[in-house]
Structure formats: structure tokens, C-alpha cells
Amino acid sequence: MRRLEIVASGERYEIPSYARIDLVPVRAEGSHVYDFDGARYLDLYGGHAVAILGHSPARVADAIAMQARDLLFYSNIVHLPVRARAAERLCRLAPWPDAKAFFCNSGTEANETALKIARKATGRSRVVAFRGGFHGRTLGALAASGLPEYREQAALFPEDLYRFVEINASDLSAIDGTVAAVIVEPIQSMGGVRSLTRQFAHALRRRCDEVGALLVFDEVQTAPARTGHWFAGGLWDMEPHMITTAKGIAAGFPAGVVLAQGSVAQTVRTGDQGTTFGGGPLACAAIEATLLQMEEMDAPARARAIEERVRRRLRGREVLGHGGLLGVRCPAKETVKRLREEKRVLAATCPGDGTVMRLLPPLTISDAELDEGLLAIEAVLG
Ligand SMILES: Cc1ncc(COP(=O)(O)O)c(C=O)c1O
């Protein structure tokens, strides 16, 4: 197949749900992606925050391949050595000594599951979420998303079930004794790389404790380690009651996880939640290998170093976010397009704010690669 034929075939046979860019990757390694025609791109977008260890990291790919030969799949009615090891490694990094994990397949499924657990644990049904937030495309997670063009697709839920608040607002009266869960991204990514303040993060937790609601941090983009801490609460020395994660957790293999502190986890009863593929052997092999490599390289420290370097090199520009989830204030759509077309550098826009370009590089990016990308950004922004 030629490049043109691949594009034509995709358009002919796939439901047209995505706006696609002019890139047909056939191979990727480390921080680089290679197009069908051989052109090499520096990926500061990290395949949408997924390629946290760069593209096709050898250790993760090997772990998946070895596991596939030993036991490609068995269901959740059995204990698996690889699942037990992945769960232990993950829970040891979690902010609570009695953490427990529920494995699923994606970010949206992790959020659905966390909301379901919160409803069961509190006996309530209302959810408080935030304007500009994004939690996924399945109906429950979508209804909690505060970006209007996405949320409208979930109009089947009664308006009253979801209340929306501004992040960093001083009025938290929407969180009352009828609320099961408060779900928030510690850094709103699609919304424009808008971070919670320390004061707000603490106020949220305090308010949830006062009224008996559960605070869920949607760390689908930010955990593990992208913020410069294994989990984002580390930025502000606090912790939520539950954390959801996906994207980078298995470095590119599809996986999602809900982490809950023990007292919340123990409200879940046999049969409350389930999934066929979640916690499958391949996902768990990928999670285990990802976490091993991240611990060895001290991934949180590397994320902090990336932020420091970006802020230093782009001095004079407004840089938002933390660690390896950063926003640069600029005309984002035009800048992202020019970076790709003129400099072969990939970055992302933010659907919620056209004035912010997002950088989500692999945490394995070298200083030289990062500098190359930042020079390209400076050249395009002029
Ligand atoms: C913060 C956040 N939550 C949830 C999701 C949904 O994750 P998934 O696409 O794996 O369902 C995303 C995806 O971009 C996200 O950025």
C-alpha cells in the first residue's frame, strides 16, 4: 500500500470520528516517530501523553512479548503472578499505606468505576465536577466533563445529577451532603493546562471530608510521575480518596487503574464491578515493566528537570503546568501546525483554550532532544 492508499482506505472503512493530521507513522523509537515516507518527527506530544518512556520502550515490549508466550490471557476469576506483582508495585507507590487497585482498560472506564465505587460507598448519587474538565467518552465520565462540546453528547443524564464548579473557586457550597464524588484533574489538560492551587486542593479535600463526599483525582494524564511526583497530590502534600490513571501507566499498552485508599476499597463487594480484559496478563506485564523502569530512572525527578529546563529555555513566555505536562501561551493551532510542517516537531492544542499549546514529552527525552524542540518552538513563535 502506498501512503495515499493508506489514508484513502482509512477514510473509506473507519467511522470518521477523528480529525487526523498529515502523519502516517510506521515506526517510532525513543522520542522520535517515523512517517511512512521516512520523515522523522520529534514527539513532544508523546502520542497523547501515553509514551511516557518514549516509543516502543524495549523493556516493556519484551515483557509483553514474553508474557504473551507464557500466558496471553486468563480472566479475573483467577489470581495471576504478573497481576499480583503489578498491583503490589503500584500500591507501594500510591499515597496510602493500605491502597488497593482495580484494573481496567482505559481512562474513561477507570473514571466510571471510581464514580460507581463512590456512589456505593456513600449511598448518594450526585457528582461535582469542574468547568474545563475532561474525564472520557463513555456516558458517565462524559457527563462529568466540563467542556461543553463534549458534555452535550451525554445529555441523557438529569442535569441535577452533575454540578459544575470553577477550579480554584472559593465557593465550595455545591459540595454538600448529597454529593457522592468530586472528580477533578489535578491539572486540567484538555481545558488549557490549568493547575489546581495548593490552597484549593487542600480546601477540596477538607470540604469533602466535612460532608462525607469522596475526592477523586483523575490522573489519567498525570500519573504516574508526569507532574514530578508519583501522584499529583505530592505537589501539594495532600491526597484524594481515589486516583484514576491510564495513558502512561503501561507505556502504550491499553490499561486503566483505579487506586483507592483502604477504607474506600473495602466498601466494594464481590460482583460490584468487573471487566473481562482489565488486569489481563499483557497489561500487567506492561505495567510492571513500566513501573520498574520509572523507579530505576527516578521518573518524578526527571519530570521536574524537564519542567525546569523548559521554563529556563522559554524564559519570557508564559509556561503553565507542572513536570512533563506543560502549556505554552501562544496561538496554539497555528503554532502546532507550523511546528509539525516546518520543524517536524509534534505538540498538541487544548480543546478548552486556543491560546495554550500543550507539551507532553516522554520522560525519557534527552536534554539535547528537548532543547532541539524548544529551539524550534522559539523559531516558530519568533
Ligand atoms: C484527564 C483525562 N481523563 C480521562 C480520559 C479518557 O481516557 P481514555 O481515552 O483512555 O478513555 C482522558 C483522555 O484524554 C483524559 O485526558
Side-chain angles (χ1 to χ4, degrees):
M1 260 181 166
R2 290 178 306 160
R3 196 179 192 281
L4 263 176
E5 290 167 336
I6 296 166
V7 173
S9 174
E11 283 174 4
R12 165 71 182 81
Y13 292 108
E14 291 176 50
I15 291 175
S17 185
Y18 297 100
R20 292 209 157 122
I21 60 171
D22 184 25
L23 176 73
V24 181
V26 287
R27 192 170 74 77
E29 193 182 346
S31 307
H32 290 99
V33 178
Y34 296 83
D35 185 78
F36 188 88
D37 64 15
R40 188 176 88 143
Y41 290 79
L42 177 65
D43 193 2
L44 300 185
Y45 162 64
H48 209 63
V50 169
I52 203 154
L53 293 176
H55 289 282
S56 307
R59 191 152 169 190
V60 178
D62 288 349
I64 294 169
M66 275 162 53
Q67 182 62 49
R69 281 190 291 268
D70 286 347
L71 177 70
L72 190 120
F73 180 74
Y74 213 88
S75 81
N76 278 304
I77 67 162
V78 295
H79 283 287
L80 294 174
V82 67
R83 192 190 301 124
R85 292 196 305 270
E88 183 179 342
R89 192 162 286 278
L90 194 52
C91 288
R92 275 202 277 112
L93 293 172
W96 323 276
D98 57 356
K100 286 183 189 288
F102 179 85
F103 291 106
C104 56
N105 302 281
S106 66
T108 200
E109 190 185 354
N111 286 333
E112 296 278 346
T113 306
L115 295 181
K116 215 172 138 186
I117 290 174
R119 289 172 65 145
K120 169 96 189 302
T122 59
R124 308 167 183 173
S125 51
R126 186 168 277 140
V127 171
V128 169
F130 293 84
R131 296 202 184 90
F134 181 76
H135 302 294
R137 306 289 194 131
T138 54
L139 289 171
L142 195 57
S145 295
L147 288 166
E149 70 272 32
Y150 296 96
R151 187 177 148 64
E152 276 160 17
Q153 303 164 358
L156 89 163
F157 285 96
E159 271 302 307
D160 194 37
L161 211 55
Y162 291 83
R163 287 179 178 162
F164 285 88
V165 180
E166 282 302 329
I167 60 162
N168 299 328
S170 50
D171 180 5
L172 291 177
S173 57
I175 305 169
D176 60 21
T178 67
V179 170
V182 175
I183 184 165
V184 67
E185 296 163 81
I187 305 173
Q188 285 189 340
S189 183
M190 305 258 280
V193 192
R194 303 192 314 158
S195 177
L196 304 191
T197 61
R198 168 178 284 268
Q199 194 190 3
F200 186 73
H202 281 272
L204 264 187
R205 171 72 206 227
R206 238 188 348 262
R207 180 75 185 163
C208 285
D209 286 340
E210 273 164 24
V211 302
L214 296 179
L215 180 59
V216 181
F217 269 9
D218 175 345
E219 294 224 49
V220 166
Q221 290 214 4
T222 51
R226 190 169 280 285
T227 58
H229 298 265
W230 285 112
F231 296 96
L235 283 166
W236 309 301
D237 306 303
M238 51 79 64
E239 64 222 29
H241 299 98
M242 274 188 275
I243 294 168
T244 58
T245 182
K247 293 203 191 287
I249 188 69
F253 196 89
V257 185
V258 179
L259 287 167
Q261 70 175 59
S263 58
V264 176
Q266 77 189 21
T267 64
V268 178
R269 295 277 165 268
T270 305
D272 278 357
Q273 189 61 14
T275 156
T276 298
F277 288 116
L282 301 195
C284 288
I287 290 171
E288 184 189 21
T290 301
L291 294 178
L292 262 165
Q293 186 170 335
M294 290 182 97
E295 286 185 76
E296 278 175 22
M297 69 182 268
D298 194 352
R302 181 62 194 143
R304 293 195 296 275
I306 288 172
E307 175 183 351
E308 199 261 324
R309 200 166 188 93
V310 172
R311 288 188 184 279
R312 189 151 35 89
R313 300 273 152 153
L314 297 185
R315 198 176 299 130
R317 302 203 180 274
E318 188 183 354
V319 176
L320 308 161
H322 296 281
L325 170 47
L326 297 171
V328 181
R329 184 83 63 194
C330 64
K333 200 168 169 194
E334 180 198 326
T335 309
V336 166
K337 187 165 184 287
R338 285 190 55 203
L339 274 173
R340 187 177 71 249
E341 290 175 358
E342 295 170 23
K343 303 288 181 188
R344 293 192 173 154
V345 170
L346 304 176
T349 56
C350 299
D353 187 344
T355 72
V356 177
M357 172 173 72
R358 260 186 306 172
L359 306 178
L360 307 145
L363 301 184
T364 48
I365 192 168
S366 70
D367 286 346
E369 289 166 339
L370 191 55
D371 288 352
E372 183 195 325
L374 297 172
L375 272 176
I377 290 171
E378 281 296 9
V380 165
L381 290 179

